[in-house]
Amino acid sequence: MLKFISYMASLAFFTLILLIVGVTYEVAKINISIPDYRQLADYAPPVTTRLFAGDGQVMMEYAAEKRLFVPEEKIPDIIKKAFIAAEDKHFYSHAGLDYLGILRAVIGNLRKIGTGKRPAGASTITQQVAKNFLLSSELSYTRKIKEAILARRINKAFTKEHVLELYLNEIYLGNRAYGVAAAAINYFGKALAELTLEEVAYLAALPKGPNNYNPVTHYDAAIQRRNWVLSRMLEDGYITEEEAKTAMEKPLKVVKRKSGFLKDTEYYSEEVRRTISNNFGDEALYQGGLIVRTTVDPRLQSMATQAFRKGLLAYDRRHGWYGATANIQIDENYKENLQKAELPKGAEPSWQKAVVIKVTKDKAEIETAEGKEGKILMSTLGWARHAEKGQNMGPVPTSAEQVLQKGDVIYVEAIKDKKGEYELRQIPRVEGGMAVMDPHTGKVLALVGGFSFAKSQFNRATQAYRQTGSSFKPFVYLTALELGYSPTDLILDAPFVLDQGVGMPKWKPVNYSKKFYGLMTLRRGVELSKNLMTVRLAQDIGMDKIVEMSRRVGVNDNLPPYLSASLGAADTRVINMVGAYCVIVNGGKKVPPYMIERIQDRTGKTIYRHEQTPCPECAADKWENQEAPDFNVIREQVVDSLSAYQMTSILEGVAVRGTGAKLNGLHRHLAGKTGTTNETKDAWFVGFSPDLVVGVYVGFDEPESLGRYETGAQAALPIFYDFMEMALKDVPDTSFRIPEGIKLVRVNPQSGKPSGLGDTTYIVEALKPDFDFNNRQRVIGEDKAVIGGPKQSDGSVQIGGEY
């Protein structure tokens, strides 16, 4: 017996030795594969990039993980206490592992064997930091051993405050929120310091399972878990019994937060996002926590969007009703089917989805998706003529039955002050773009890339290249003014024919009106947008000089050197045209458009600044009552200021008595130029006040005619009009700035000659100081009528070939 006992003891001892060796070996092997915890000393998690408007409002956020990093000392104590009470009550006393908690978890898990329930953990906050930062979420004892070893090491290497900072900024709390700061905003729309006790307790309830305690889908469970956290906080002495009771009785109210923050800035934000991605990379954009200051003016952006949408809707109504895009059966399931029915994206916020229940001659009875009943009266459907190919329309409807059918799913808008009455609405097919700039700085103050970002993310203000039509003409005439031509010079308005070479048809440009008016002043050629005068002037000065002007002002760096380009046959972007018009109004200085003022990294260090003008005084460490730095921003002078003002004056004439004369209704100093391309496929208006430049383009994405009468003055100018009416409402009217050297002289608008004492018809012309009326007035085109060839029977002039 003694021998047996001795044998068993030896066996047990040997087994124990083997077990110790095996465990030591496994631990050593695990130890070798454990990540380096020291990387936590320089914690730099993926952080949300935020875009700010010019007035400081947050306009958009971009992030792979929605996180806002907050230093430990900036996190309110009540939040720390709530998470410690819920997750690790002995956090400040243990050395990374809570052995009592581990024992309780082991006993509890033994009881769960065979039940199919998930084993409970006993992870401390330090262990969760080790797992979240350095390990995977794999359920294994190997991972738990690694977690325990790392927790001990982390506890020795870092302060409790640093560990808590790591935890509270990294923990996933659902709703795409990483960290307590992002969760506070996503759930409650508040900063950490603004949270109430019951809101703090709810956030502390989330680490164990955010989806299980989602207040939208699991409200009762969320309340129960929140109240459990409050009871733990009471038990640990963090709150009083009265505070706990009051908080437990409060409902749980969360906010529905949009992905964007500033209304109508989607196109602007996307353009900024694309710029950052191209220059700094997606990792910096989505993980770098960049602080991006943009130039957008929220007030002007809202006005631009409103005016642009109004203009496209007005165009759309002039071209009829396309018909309903969906139809459902009016049966016992129609309410459910109405909810499922899809309509084109991009509806205005005030529009509602509805179904036609019944149609008679005088009205259509409808029911909205919200269950409201109403009617569309025939008296509001006069515009809804059947839209046909080529922007043609059918007859004016005389019955609601000619427009709508039972079961049609449509958009409607309630008529103000008329209960139960609605108007029919549809998403426009036509598109366009709009940009607003400060001509003195180059700041892009507003940008509209289309009718709706939900409908199409393609930005037609910055990405679409379209023919400019007559909106390019000012740069032809500006070239002439720089070369010494005068607004009073005469140009022949008569038929023009160009021989393009063997086998090529003759080029015969015409005026929009198809009429000719003989000799007219250079000014009137712009004001009335005369194609034939423009072509003759371009031929006289040379297309090479116009090409150079186009490059200088930024319209097009590669303008084709053909006469047709002088009429706007080449294409460019809205943003380029607006930037080029800035040169005209600001006295000839080039101010390239820009949208990003400054970019800072997560530490606040500036990594990009638009303004590069040297300013040593701007780098002062602190303000000590010194005067603000006074320095001149350097702008490249690309056009002489006198010629620029002459063109400003001429374009003001466009707004007073030319193709833009509708602007007289605003009673302000405004200037600009209409533009219409061949077959009216593109409509433009680019115009300005002394301190704002606005460009508008309207057209289809797949070029087709807008309609016979849809010129720049009809389709684009009203958008400019509506915008300027809002933007300048409370701004005092000022005249355009006149540079030193300009002479203002009264002249006859028809002849360009000085007006006599008795003349009742005259304009004030802007002339350069060296201009002398006694010298011969330049006449362009008339000499070619004699020298270039005989006049034809219809009065046309042969240029370079047979007519």
Side-chain angles (χ1 to χ4, degrees):
M1 175 63 78
L2 188 61
K3 186 176 179 181
F4 176 74
I5 292 173
S6 176
Y7 172 77
M8 292 302 294
S10 298
L11 182 62
F13 178 74
F14 182 72
T15 303
L16 180 61
I17 294 297
L18 286 177
L19 184 62
I20 292 173
V21 170
V23 170
T24 303
Y25 173 75
E26 286 299 320
V27 170
K29 191 167 71 170
I30 290 172
N31 193 43
I32 293 172
S33 63
I34 287 178
D36 185 359
Y37 64 90
R38 288 172 294 187
Q39 61 186 279
L40 298 181
D42 299 315
Y43 173 55
V47 182
T48 301
T49 287
R50 307 182 90 183
L51 272 55
F52 293 87
D55 63 356
Q57 293 187 67
V58 179
M59 52 188 287
M60 191 62 75
E61 290 181 348
Y62 296 103
E65 300 175 355
K66 290 279 186 178
R67 180 187 285 103
L68 299 174
F69 179 79
V70 183
E72 179 271 336
E73 64 272 15
K74 299 293 185 182
I75 300 174
D77 285 342
I78 192 64
I79 294 176
K80 300 174 190 175
K81 291 173 181 178
F83 276 86
I84 289 171
E87 294 294 311
D88 188 359
K89 69 179 296 181
H90 299 121
F91 173 71
Y92 283 111
S93 59
H94 64 61
L97 299 175
D98 184 356
Y99 295 107
L100 190 61
I102 292 172
L103 181 60
R104 282 197 302 267
V106 169
I107 295 172
N109 289 338
L110 288 174
R111 290 174 178 169
K112 291 179 182 178
I113 292 176
T115 64
K117 294 182 179 179
R118 182 186 176 97
S123 295
T124 63
I125 284 176
T126 314
Q127 285 176 277
Q128 291 183 58
V129 167
K131 182 188 75 172
N132 292 340
F133 283 88
L134 304 172
L135 301 172
S136 68
S137 297
E138 172 195 6
L139 280 175
S140 70
Y141 286 106
T142 299
R143 197 216 76 198
K144 293 299 289 184
I145 293 171
K146 290 181 179 180
E147 186 181 290
I149 294 171
L150 280 168
R152 295 276 298 175
R153 293 177 179 176
I154 290 169
N155 190 75
K156 288 181 180 179
F158 304 116
T159 65
K160 290 289 185 179
E161 288 71 23
H162 184 65
V163 173
L164 198 58
E165 176 181 272
L166 295 173
Y167 175 75
L168 293 176
N169 280 289
E170 180 68 19
I171 188 72
Y172 178 64
L173 297 173
N175 201 14
R176 295 191 66 209
Y178 289 80
V180 291
I185 292 176
N186 281 14
Y187 284 106
F188 303 113
K190 296 180 178 180
L192 290 177
E194 298 172 327
L195 294 176
T196 60
L197 176 59
E198 64 272 13
E199 291 168 344
V200 169
Y202 173 70
L203 295 185
L206 292 172
K208 285 293 187 285
N211 292 333
N212 297 332
Y213 306 117
N214 185 320
V216 177
T217 56
H218 302 94
Y219 184 81
D220 291 340
I223 289 289
Q224 186 178 359
R225 181 70 179 176
R226 181 201 69 180
N227 291 349
W228 175 83
V229 173
L230 289 167
S231 67
R232 292 296 297 267
M233 294 178 73
L234 174 62
E235 180 184 322
D236 293 345
Y238 293 139
I239 57 175
T240 66
E241 189 169 343
E242 184 180 349
E243 287 174 329
K245 182 181 178 182
T246 302
M248 287 181 182
E249 292 173 350
K250 294 284 182 69
L252 182 55
K253 296 180 180 179
V254 295
V255 298
K256 187 175 181 181
R257 189 164 179 256
K258 299 191 303 178
S259 58
F261 301 89
L262 197 56
K263 183 183 176 185
D264 300 328
T265 60
E266 294 92 344
Y267 282 111
Y268 200 110
S269 298
E270 176 59 16
E271 185 66 23
V272 172
R273 185 205 66 80
R274 194 162 46 240
T275 301
I276 296 172
S277 178
N278 291 339
N279 289 277
F280 295 93
D282 283 347
E283 183 175 344
L285 173 64
Y286 293 105
Q287 301 182 31
L290 302 178
I291 301 167
V292 184
R293 315 283 178 178
T294 72
T295 62
V296 69
D297 182 321
R299 171 179 160 273
L300 296 180
Q301 179 64 59
S302 178
M303 292 174 178
T305 303
Q306 181 182 337
F308 187 78
R309 288 178 180 168
K310 178 184 175 183
L312 293 197
L313 288 170
Y315 168 89
D316 190 66
R317 286 174 73 92
R318 292 197 295 271
H319 294 273
W321 166 243
Y322 310 133
T325 56
N327 187 282
I328 60 174
Q329 290 292 322
I330 304 300
D331 53 23
E332 66 275 8
N333 299 317
Y334 82 90
K335 291 179 182 289
E336 181 182 346
N337 291 332
L338 174 59
Q339 298 293 336
K340 293 179 181 178
E342 293 187 2
L343 292 179
K345 294 180 180 179
E348 292 273 49
S350 58
W351 295 5
Q352 303 173 59
K353 184 166 66 172
V355 63
V356 178
I357 302 297
K358 181 182 178 182
V359 190
T360 63
K361 180 179 180 180
D362 298 326
K363 65 183 177 182
E365 297 178 14
I366 64 165
E367 182 176 321
T368 69
E370 288 75 29
K372 294 181 180 179
E373 296 181 352
K375 57 189 176 183
I376 302 173
L377 298 179
M378 178 57 216
S379 58
T380 67
L381 292 173
W383 67 272
R385 300 164 64 183
H386 179 64
E388 298 177 352
K389 190 175 180 180
Q391 305 307 320
N392 296 315
M393 292 182 289
V396 176
T398 56
S399 165
E401 296 166 316
Q402 297 172 348
V403 180
L404 296 168
Q405 297 179 1
K406 182 179 179 180
D408 280 350
V409 181
I410 55 176
Y411 280 124
V412 297
E413 184 175 21
I415 299 176
K416 191 176 180 180
D417 300 328
K418 291 189 177 181
K419 188 176 180 180
E421 292 189 24
Y422 292 82
E423 279 202 84
L424 178 65
R425 295 286 184 249
Q426 68 180 358
I427 304 293
R429 289 176 54 238
V430 72
E431 280 291 358
M434 179 177 179
V436 182
M437 278 180 63
D438 179 335
H440 310 295
T441 63
K443 291 180 180 180
V444 179
L445 303 173
L447 196 71
V448 185
F451 180 76
S452 167
F453 192 76
K455 175 188 173 188
S456 168
Q457 288 77 54
F458 182 65
N459 193 328
R460 294 155 191 86
T462 61
Q463 293 178 290
Y465 284 82
R466 301 301 288 255
Q467 290 185 338
T468 58
S470 296
S471 63
F472 178 75
K473 288 177 182 174
F475 302 104
V476 176
Y477 289 83
L478 181 58
T479 306
L481 294 171
E482 265 211 325
L483 292 172
Y485 290 67
S486 166
T488 60
D489 287 342
L490 299 177
I491 308 173
L492 183 64
D493 180 38
F496 181 100
V497 181
L498 179 67
D499 190 340
Q500 301 184 87
V502 179
M504 297 287 289
K506 291 179 173 61
W507 184 52
K508 304 175 183 178
V510 295
N511 290 326
Y512 177 77
S513 65
K514 304 295 192 296
K515 297 179 180 179
F516 319 104
Y517 294 90
L519 288 173
M520 300 175 68
T521 63
L522 180 149
R523 167 184 281 274
R524 293 295 281 165
V526 181
E527 291 178 349
L528 301 178
S529 197
K530 295 298 182 181
N531 289 340
L532 298 171
M533 292 175 66
T534 304
V535 170
R536 281 197 170 83
L537 179 63
Q539 186 183 58
D540 199 65
I541 61 180
M543 277 303 300
D544 57 327
K545 297 179 178 64
I546 296 169
V547 168
E548 173 60 17
M549 174 62 75
S550 173
R551 185 197 62 76
R552 268 193 282 157
V553 299
V555 172
N556 190 324
D557 288 341
N558 298 289
L559 188 76
Y562 307 121
L563 284 177
S564 58
S566 69
L567 300 180
D571 53 21
T572 192
R573 304 178 302 166
V574 172
I575 197 73
N576 294 89
M577 286 297 283
V578 176
Y581 271 69
C582 285
V583 175
I584 295 174
V585 69
N586 72 17
K589 295 180 175 66
K590 189 169 185 178
V591 284
Y594 76 97
M595 303 172 67
I596 300 175
E597 197 79 72
R598 183 172 59 155
I599 301 176
Q600 296 166 277
D601 65 15
R602 68 172 72 209
T603 68
K605 179 184 176 183
T606 298
I607 59 176
Y608 168 81
R609 186 192 303 274
H610 172 76
E611 188 53 67
Q612 299 297 322
T613 302
C615 178
E617 296 84 359
C618 297
D621 293 331
K622 59 183 178 179
W623 183 66
E624 296 176 332
N625 295 313
Q626 68 267 42
E627 291 187 5
D630 183 17
F631 66 101
N632 293 320
V633 178
I634 301 170
R635 306 288 186 207
E636 181 186 2
Q637 190 81 34
V638 293
V639 175
D640 82 79
S641 61
L642 302 183
S643 298
Y645 178 74
Q646 284 184 308
M647 182 48 61
T648 297
S649 174
I650 290 172
L651 291 177
E652 188 174 12
V654 173
V656 172
R657 55 189 165 269
T659 56
K662 289 179 183 178
L663 295 177
N664 278 316
L666 292 178
H667 306 291
R668 283 185 168 273
H669 286 83
L670 296 172
K673 184 69 187 74
T674 53
T676 311
T677 63
N678 285 345
E679 301 176 20
T680 57
K681 289 182 178 179
D682 305 280
W684 288 76
F685 189 82
V686 188
F688 49 86
S689 68
D691 298 306
L692 277 182
V693 179
V694 182
V696 179
Y697 146 74
V698 176
F700 292 100
D701 286 343
E702 292 295 329
E704 62 177 274
S705 175
L706 290 166
R708 182 178 176 185
Y709 301 108
E710 297 292 351
T711 62
Q714 175 75 356
L717 186 146
I719 297 173
F720 175 89
Y721 185 108
D722 289 341
F723 171 77
M724 282 300 198
E725 185 173 34
M726 291 184 284
L728 302 178
K729 182 179 179 181
D730 298 317
V731 179
D733 185 34
T734 57
S735 57
F736 292 102
R737 298 166 182 88
I738 304 174
E740 186 178 349
I742 284 289
K743 297 191 299 186
L744 298 179
V745 180
R746 297 200 322 176
V747 301
N748 183 290
Q750 304 301 325
S751 68
K753 303 286 187 183
S755 62
L757 293 176
D759 285 352
T760 57
T761 302
Y762 65 87
I763 61 171
V764 176
E765 190 58 86
L767 301 173
K768 293 180 180 178
D770 58 353
F771 182 83
D772 185 356
F773 277 108
N774 293 321
N775 293 333
R776 179 179 180 272
Q777 187 179 32
R778 184 184 273 111
V779 180
I780 302 157
E782 191 177 50
D783 57 333
K784 290 184 173 60
V786 178
I787 300 170
K791 286 188 178 181
Q792 309 302 311
S793 57
D794 62 358
S796 66
V797 180
Q798 176 179 332
I799 303 292
E802 238 176 61
Y803 182 70

